[in-house]
Amino acid sequence: MPKVRREIRNVDRDTTISRRDVVVVAKEIRAKRSGEYSIKTNTHKTAPKLQRKK
Amino acid sequence: MPAPTYAQSVFVNCPFDSDYAALFDAIIFTVHDCGFVARCALEIDDGAQVRIDKIFELIQKCKYGIHDISRTEPDPISGLPRFNMPLELGIFLSARRFGSGRQRQKVCLVLDKERYRYQQFCSDIAGQDIWAHDGDIQKAVKVVRDWLRNATANSNIVIPGGGRIFERYELFLSELPQLCQNLNLDQDDLIFNDFSTLVVGWLEANPW
């Protein structure tokens, strides 16, 4: 039997925040932590723009 | 996001006081990181519904139950012990004993500070799955994780180890202040519904 990861689930809770907003913010924090990209400039550090030599 | 089924719902019956908050939050995180959904009486704020009816309804919806009976000290103000946790454990066990159909599949974990201390104040629960957390968050995470893992032993579900979940919980805690700030929440005054939504959103953004 193939092993699978259980899907994250939740109930519709009476809350002032939406799960989608939390996911967006959490992903921004994760990206900042891992240095994947700069939130300020929204540019990927791991994929710098290529400088074409003239 | 799919709604949880009966077999994915965990009724959390633990103290709600500030002294227990660190353990409570860690248990909620662990339940969700194992792919289950934590349900507790704090999630319903319907003044029209009688509290015991809320508890009956939640217990009916949950196959699993985590019951912490460690709070045996008298309340500092009233001088009396609180009996809510043993009462809700009794309701859960009764549902399994006298209920029908899937209610008879109920599984529960009983937590205390020390493993055999219950024999001195609640000896009738002997024979249940009783484990100690020693008031230690890391141990509580491991006990809850191992119990949920054993409960799903015959399935093809993979659950990370207790040490890995604890590392992820520490990471979540380190990012919680920023999370709250960006979402205009007061970290020191998070209600259960907001906290669990933060946990679920963070887990979705940080898969293991």
Side-chain angles (χ1 to χ4, degrees):
Chain A
M1 190 169 12
K3 295 287 180 185
V4 295
R5 178 176 183 252
R6 198 182 276 278
E7 195 173 356
I8 298 295
R9 292 168 185 268
N10 204 10
V11 288
D12 288 331
R13 299 191 189 276
D14 179 17
T15 177
T16 54
I17 50 172
S18 82
R19 181 187 52 81
R20 287 175 192 274
D21 289 345
V22 178
V23 174
V24 170
V25 174
K27 282 184 176 174
E28 283 177 2
I29 295 171
R30 185 192 67 187
K32 199 174 176 182
R33 180 210 324 142
S34 61
E36 283 172 12
Y37 67 84
S38 164
I39 295 192
K40 281 184 181 172
T41 57
N42 199 26
T43 53
H44 283 260
K45 286 182 179 173
T46 50
K49 277 186 179 176
L50 290 173
Q51 297 291 321
R52 183 175 292 179
K53 286 184 181 177
K54 291 183 178 175
Chain B
M1 173 168 283
T5 64
Y6 173 74
Q8 291 159 339
S9 301
V10 181
F11 177 66
V12 180
N13 169 25
C14 295
F16 298 144
D17 57 75
S18 57
D19 289 343
Y20 193 84
L23 276 171
F24 181 79
D25 291 351
I27 289 170
I28 299 301
F29 181 92
T30 304
V31 167
H32 282 279
D33 204 19
C34 289
F36 293 82
V37 175
R39 313 293 308 265
C40 104
L42 290 174
E43 71 182 61
I44 306 170
D45 189 21
D46 181 359
Q49 198 177 8
V50 179
R51 184 176 170 83
I52 196 80
D53 287 337
K54 296 177 192 174
I55 292 164
F56 287 151
E57 193 179 323
L58 280 175
I59 288 176
Q60 187 180 22
K61 289 178 178 173
C62 298
K63 176 177 179 179
Y64 300 98
I66 297 173
H67 306 265
D68 191 310
I69 56 170
S70 62
R71 183 64 80 247
T72 52
E73 301 86 356
D75 183 274
I77 297 169
S78 69
L80 297 168
R82 296 188 61 83
F83 292 129
N84 285 336
M85 275 70 71
L87 171 68
E88 291 171 28
L89 169 60
I91 296 169
F92 194 92
L93 294 174
S94 301
R96 184 173 71 185
R97 176 66 179 81
F98 302 113
S100 59
R102 65 184 190 178
Q103 296 302 322
R104 289 183 173 267
Q105 300 166 357
K106 279 180 154 35
V107 186
C108 77
L109 168 68
V110 180
L111 294 173
D112 194 8
K113 285 178 187 167
E114 300 161 30
R115 191 162 182 195
Y116 300 105
R117 195 180 70 132
Y118 73 93
Q119 292 171 345
Q120 297 168 50
F121 64 92
C122 196
S123 58
D124 285 354
I125 59 168
Q128 305 301 316
D129 210 358
I130 302 168
W131 290 91
H133 51 55
D134 299 327
D136 180 78
I137 293 170
Q138 190 166 4
K139 195 164 183 185
V141 167
K142 185 179 183 324
V143 167
V144 170
R145 179 269 169 200
D146 289 351
W147 175 70
L148 286 171
R149 177 69 194 90
N150 287 335
T152 54
N154 295 325
S155 74
N156 60 337
I157 300 297
V158 177
I159 293 177
R164 182 78 187 102
I165 292 177
F166 183 69
E167 282 174 13
R168 285 163 57 73
Y169 180 57
E170 285 188 310
L171 184 59
F172 167 75
L173 285 183
S174 73
E175 295 183 352
L176 186 58
Q178 188 69 56
L179 210 51
C180 289
Q181 189 180 334
N182 290 14
L183 293 161
N184 297 314
L185 292 170
D186 182 356
Q187 189 189 343
D188 296 327
D189 198 22
L190 282 177
I191 60 171
F192 174 76
N193 284 344
D194 285 343
F195 179 78
S196 55
T197 302
L198 290 172
V199 167
V200 169
W202 188 90
L203 289 174
E204 202 173 327
N206 294 274
W208 42 265

